[in-house]
Amino acid sequence: MSRSYGQYCPIARTLDLLGDKWTLLIVRELLRDRRRFRDIEAGLPGIPPNLLSYRLKALEAAGLVTREYFREMPPRVEYLLTREGRSLDSVLDELASWGADHLMQGEVPCDDVDLDLYFLHLPRFFCPDPTLGLNTTVAVELTGAGGGEWYVELTDRACTVSRAPREAEARIRCSVDTWVECMALHRDPDGLSQAPDTVFEGNVSLARSFGRFFCRERTDAAPALSTTPG
């Protein structure tokens, strides 16, 4: 049976290539600069390795992905998006914006929240009070499984997130479970400030107000998915 929709329509033609389960998420991982098979696989819990291999080969055949071989012991292979592949950045950005507007209100359809993905999309919910005159960085340090450190730069008009260490005016330190419960699942900044394991350092007032700078509405300042750590 043909997998093609068989329609003279650019939407149908695009879905012929990209409409299968996992395909656009593979592109998402490549846009996040995940180049090695195991790194792409790590960002897609549940994908069978043989299916990932098949999808990568299909994207390569379509001219969206290239493979680069390195003569090492053991040999190393990296997958890179071509110019045509990277042009899907704007497509995924629009999908993410629509999803942020319409699909992020209910239950989270997963057992574990990938914090790198959470912080990748955090700028989409940025809605500061423009009278505050923001021009600062807040460090978020999360302990426990999946934890790490993220640096959130805030201005009146934009929010950016990096894993690269930098000077921060304020620091929030708590467990992964507390952060996910208060900021990812229920968006309860007051709950975060009252959680017994949360520590605020530096500009404590700024740190305690951090959660209030983010809401459900989309922000036009949200960056595209190609934003990479650092």
Side-chain angles (χ1 to χ4, degrees), residues 138-181:
V138 177
V140 178
E141 182 181 343
L142 304 181
T143 59
E149 198 164 77
W150 291 263
Y151 294 83
V152 185
E153 185 176 346
L154 306 169
T155 68
D156 283 344
R157 296 180 177 272
C159 166
T160 57
V161 181
S162 174
R163 295 297 299 267
R166 61 193 61 193
E167 185 176 350
E169 182 180 350
R171 176 176 293 270
I172 304 170
R173 183 185 296 115
C174 67
S175 68
V176 167
D177 289 344
T178 294
W179 186 269
V180 169
E181 176 70 19

Side-chain angles (χ1 to χ4, degrees), residues 11-113:
I11 297 174
R13 291 284 288 165
T14 301
L15 291 176
D16 285 343
L17 174 63
L18 301 174
D20 287 325
K21 185 178 181 180
W22 297 110
T23 302
L24 283 177
L25 293 185
I26 293 170
V27 175
R28 181 198 70 189
E29 293 305 299
L30 291 167
L31 285 168
R32 294 171 69 196
D33 206 32
R34 306 286 180 89
R35 299 184 179 188
R36 303 184 69 172
F37 188 95
R38 66 186 181 188
D39 295 328
I40 300 169
E41 185 180 23
L44 302 171
I47 188 171
N50 61 331
L51 181 59
L52 174 56
S53 179
Y54 177 81
R55 293 283 192 265
L56 285 168
K57 288 178 181 177
L59 290 169
E60 184 179 6
L64 302 183
V65 169
T66 61
R67 275 185 292 178
E68 188 171 353
Y69 295 88
F70 296 86
R71 293 185 176 181
E72 300 177 355
M73 291 302 293
R76 176 163 59 96
V77 177
E78 291 189 353
Y79 297 88
L80 301 169
L81 289 168
T82 63
R83 183 177 65 177
E84 291 78 5
R86 295 199 66 81
S87 69
L88 288 168
D89 189 3
S90 60
V91 177
L92 266 66
D93 186 50
E94 286 300 316
L95 282 174
S97 295
W98 189 90
D101 286 345
H102 302 289
L103 300 178
M104 299 300 286
Q105 299 287 348
E107 296 182 2
V108 177
C110 59
D111 295 326
D112 299 307
V113 175

Side-chain angles (χ1 to χ4, degrees), residues 118 122 125-128 138 140 152 154 172 179 182-184 186-193 200 204-216:
Y118 167 85
L122 182 66
F125 304 107
F126 186 54
C127 52
V138 177
V140 178
V152 185
L154 306 169
I172 304 170
W179 186 269
C182 296
M183 296 299 296
H186 296 112
R187 307 192 70 78
D188 179 13
D190 292 329
L192 179 68
S193 65
F200 300 99
V204 173
S205 177
L206 170 65
R208 287 184 176 274
S209 300
F210 179 85
R212 302 178 185 276
F213 299 144
F214 301 90
C215 56
R216 288 291 185 181

